Amino acid sequence: MGAANEIKVTLPDLRRGIGAPPNLLIIGTMNTADRSIALLDVALRRRFTFVELMPQPELLGEVAGVPLGKLLTALNRKLEAYLDRDHQIGHSYLMNLENVADLRFAWEHKVMPLLQEYFYGDGKKLEEILGKKFVQTVTVKVGAGDSADEREVYRAQSIEDDARFVEGLKSLAET
């Protein structure tokens, strides 16, 4: 009470003053890949201090022989090359995983949907990043007769066998 820049308000239903303690720290987070908030981003940057937090692969361990830090580094290197540094995957996606089931869940329900969103409509780039083990290419005929065209369709695929899934991730970590 009585601190510099103190702001107190009186709430009508309480009829007394209420304020925030001087040691209150408000932290907001923003993902720079979310370009739809560009105008808000500029307004916030003028008013607040920003601290960039980049992925920290060194915080990740190994699950079922998959070096998660190397996997994250390899994926992020490719994402930066194909998109930009703001589209890198954070280490939190792969933290606290204890077994293949945890790894599979994180991969199939967190990492893959994010990558599919990043490369929506461009399955070829998704295949270039993940490889043929995780992206299936199917040739489809469009049209009929002599005027039919062949087109390649790219589909993310789940590797059902745990050993093959782990080997696929290990090979991605080495690229």
Side-chain angles (χ1 to χ4, degrees):
M1 304 265 200
N5 300 319
E6 177 181 30
I7 297 176
K8 289 180 78 173
V9 295
T10 301
L11 300 176
D13 56 332
L14 293 178
R15 295 192 182 98
R16 63 184 168 89
I18 186 169
N23 62 346
L24 177 67
L25 178 63
I26 298 174
I27 299 175
T29 63
M30 290 178 53
N31 185 340
T32 55
D34 296 330
R35 296 296 176 196
S36 62
I37 61 169
L39 294 175
L40 178 62
D41 183 31
V42 170
L44 290 173
R45 286 186 186 278
R46 288 194 321 259
R47 292 170 174 85
F48 297 97
T49 301
F50 280 71
V51 176
E52 183 177 58
L53 299 174
M54 295 303 292
Q56 298 176 336
E58 66 275 5
L59 297 177
L60 301 173
E62 189 174 288
V63 173
V66 178
L68 299 179
K70 286 180 76 173
L71 175 63
L72 183 66
T73 299
L75 283 174
N76 282 339
R77 189 171 41 251
K78 292 175 184 180
L79 289 172
E80 186 174 9
Y82 279 94
L83 298 172
D84 56 49
R85 68 189 299 269
D86 293 332
H87 283 83
Q88 293 182 67
I89 297 172
H91 55 273
S92 65
Y93 282 88
L94 300 173
M95 286 187 78
N96 302 318
L97 306 180
E98 297 179 8
N99 52 45
V100 175
D102 291 347
L103 181 56
R104 181 180 292 281
F105 184 87
W107 183 259
E108 292 177 356
H109 299 286
K110 295 178 181 180
V111 175
M112 283 298 290
L114 180 63
L115 294 175
Q116 287 174 297
E117 182 65 29
Y118 282 173
F119 296 101
Y120 182 79
D122 197 347
K124 181 152 183 61
K125 282 185 184 171
L126 185 64
E127 181 191 55
E128 289 170 4
I129 287 178
L130 297 177
K132 295 186 182 295
K133 291 180 182 175
F134 292 100
V135 179
Q136 177 185 28
T137 307
V138 179
T139 303
V140 177
K141 284 196 176 205
V142 178
D146 293 338
S147 62
D149 287 334
E150 287 189 350
R151 306 235 174 109
E152 288 187 336
V153 176
Y154 300 89
R155 298 181 183 140
Q157 62 181 358
S158 176
I159 301 173
E160 298 301 322
D161 178 67
D162 283 348
R164 287 185 46 233
F165 171 71
V166 165
E167 287 307 311
L169 291 180
K170 283 181 184 177
S171 67
L172 266 179
E174 298 301 323
T175 59

